[in-house]
Amino acid sequence: MAPMGIRLSPLGVAVFCLLGLGVLYHLYSGFLAGRFALFVLGGDRGGGPDSPGSQADGGTVDLRELLAVSVLAAVRGGEEVKRVRESNALNEKAKGKTREGAEEKMTSGDVLSNRKMFYLLKTAFPNVQINTEEHVDAADQEVILWDHNIPEDILREITKPKEVPAESVTVWIDPLDATQEYTEDLRKYVTTMVCVAVNGKPVLGVIHKPFSAYTAWAMVDGGSNVKARTSYNEKTPRIIVSRSHSGTVKQVALQTFGNQTTIIPAGGAGYKVLSLLDVPDENQEKADIYIHVTYIKKWDICAGNALLKALGGHMTTLSGEEISYTGSDGNEGGLLASINMNHQALVKKLPELEKTSHK
C-alpha cells in the first residue's frame, strides 16, 4: 500500500500561515515592549544611583578616554552656562528648599548645560551609570558624538590606557555649581564639574570655570594639569566656607586656631576646592582649608575630592571618614578638605564641628 500523505486545503494553508504570522508578531511585539520598558525605566536616561536600568551590563571602560570626554563635557556645559548668563535669559525658577530652608534655584543655564554634558557622556559611554543634579527629560534626548580625540596634555600625563569594568563606574555631573551666585551675577564662583568614581572611590575629577575658560583635571595614580601650592599655613590658616552657612564654622574655627584666622565666605564647592590649589586665575581666592558643616550633594564634591586625592590631599567627613560615591546622592557628615597638611591632626582639632554638621 502506498504511504498516505497529508493534504491541506487552501483554507487550511491560509489558517496555518495566519497562525505563524501571529506567533511572530507576538514575539516581536514582546521584544519591542521590553526595549520600551528599558527606556522608560532609565536605560537611556539619567537618574539617581539606585534607579532601575541604570547599571551597566558588562564590558570595560578606558579611564583615559573617559577623562577626555569628561573634560569636553565640562567645557561644553560651561559654554551653555556662559551663553545664558551673557544673554540674561536665565528663566530663573525655584525647585525647592534645602534642609536649612534656603531656596534652591534652577535656571536655563542649569538645564542646557546638563543636557549637553549628560548626552555627550551617555553617547560616548552608554554602559556606565550617570548621576546628575538636574532631571534629564527623554523628550530632549540628543546624540552628541565624541570624535575620539584625547587632548595632548592628557596623553602627556597619562601615557597608557587604563581599563576598568563598566559596571564599577559611576559618573557624577554638576552642570552648574553655585546657581545662587550665578543668579546674582557673581561669575567667579561658577563651575561645571564631572567626576568618575570606580567602586565608590573618586578617580577622575574635572572642574571648569566657564567665565575664565580655566579647566582643572586629574586622575588618581595617573596625572593632572594642576598642582598644589608650595606652602600652606596650619597655625593660622585661611579657611574657606559657604557664604550661606559660615556662622558656625567661623565661631569654632576662631576658637580652634585663634583670632588671627581668616574666614573666607565663598560660593560653590568647586570654587572652594580650587582655592586650595595653584590656579592661574586672578579672581580665584587662596585658602588653606575648606570646611563645610551641613549636608551636601555628592555631585558638588566628587570632582574636588578626586582632584585633591590625585595631588596627595584629602577630603573627608568632619570625623575623618572617607566619602563613598555610591548609594545615596548626599553626604551627611560635613566636609573637611586639605592638601599638604596633617589632615588627621586637623580632624582632631575640630571636634565640635562634627556635632553641628546635622543642624
Side-chain angles (χ1 to χ4, degrees), residues 192-269:
T192 57
M193 296 188 284
V194 181
C195 178
V196 174
V198 176
N199 295 321
K201 297 180 179 180
V203 298
L204 300 179
V206 180
I207 302 178
H208 175 67
K209 300 184 77 173
F211 297 103
S212 60
Y214 173 75
T215 308
W217 60 259
M219 176 191 287
V220 175
D221 297 326
S224 176
N225 72 337
V226 64
K227 293 179 172 60
R229 298 201 309 277
T230 55
S231 63
Y232 295 85
N233 190 336
E234 290 192 52
K235 293 184 178 180
T236 55
R238 293 170 60 84
I239 300 177
I240 197 163
V241 301
S242 169
R243 289 175 73 225
S244 54
H245 305 107
S246 62
T248 304
V249 185
K250 183 175 181 179
Q251 179 183 353
V252 175
L254 291 176
Q255 290 173 352
T256 303
F257 295 103
N259 291 331
Q260 299 303 312
T261 302
T262 302
I263 304 297
I264 307 169

Side-chain angles (χ1 to χ4, degrees), residues 36 122 185-186 196 198-199 201 221 225 239 252 259 268 279 282 302 315 332 356:
F36 179 74
K122 192 65 177 175
D185 208 14
L186 299 173
V196 174
V198 176
N199 295 321
K201 297 180 179 180
D221 297 326
N225 72 337
I239 300 177
V252 175
N259 291 331
V279 174
E282 61 183 14
C302 185
M315 178 182 286
E332 298 275 1
T356 68

Side-chain angles (χ1 to χ4, degrees), residues 78-268:
E79 290 170 353
E80 294 297 307
V81 167
K82 185 178 179 182
R83 182 179 61 80
V84 169
R85 179 64 266 184
E86 291 180 345
S87 68
N88 206 31
L90 271 63
N91 296 318
E92 182 181 331
K93 298 177 182 177
K95 67 174 185 179
K97 291 185 180 295
T98 66
R99 291 188 179 185
E100 296 76 39
E103 188 177 87
E104 283 194 285
K105 295 181 179 180
M106 181 176 66
T107 68
S108 293
D110 297 83
V111 174
L112 296 175
S113 173
N114 187 68
R115 188 185 304 173
K116 292 293 183 187
M117 294 174 72
F118 176 84
Y119 283 115
L120 176 57
L121 283 155
K122 192 65 177 175
T123 303
F125 296 95
N127 286 337
V128 303
Q129 178 176 312
I130 301 177
N131 299 332
T132 181
E133 180 172 6
E134 305 301 340
H135 176 72
V136 180
D137 194 334
D140 296 325
Q141 184 172 352
E142 293 185 49
V143 175
I144 305 176
L145 298 178
W146 175 49
D147 62 6
H148 290 271
N149 176 56
I150 299 177
E152 286 297 324
D153 60 339
I154 293 178
L155 291 174
R156 191 164 50 247
E157 293 289 332
I158 307 166
T159 57
K160 296 180 181 179
K162 186 172 182 180
E163 301 281 342
V164 296
E167 65 267 18
S168 69
V169 174
T170 306
V171 179
W172 296 85
I173 296 175
D174 192 339
L176 200 170
D177 190 37
T179 299
Q180 176 63 45
E181 287 73 21
Y182 183 66
T183 63
E184 297 172 20
D185 208 14
L186 299 173
R187 304 183 183 196
K188 71 176 184 178
Y189 296 123
V190 175
T191 62
T192 57
M193 296 188 284
V194 181
C195 178
V196 174
V198 176
N199 295 321
K201 297 180 179 180
V203 298
L204 300 179
V206 180
I207 302 178
H208 175 67
K209 300 184 77 173
F211 297 103
S212 60
Y214 173 75
T215 308
W217 60 259
M219 176 191 287
V220 175
D221 297 326
S224 176
N225 72 337
V226 64
K227 293 179 172 60
R229 298 201 309 277
T230 55
S231 63
Y232 295 85
N233 190 336
E234 290 192 52
K235 293 184 178 180
T236 55
R238 293 170 60 84
I239 300 177
I240 197 163
V241 301
S242 169
R243 289 175 73 225
S244 54
H245 305 107
S246 62
T248 304
V249 185
K250 183 175 181 179
Q251 179 183 353
V252 175
L254 291 176
Q255 290 173 352
T256 303
F257 295 103
N259 291 331
Q260 299 303 312
T261 302
T262 302
I263 304 297
I264 307 169

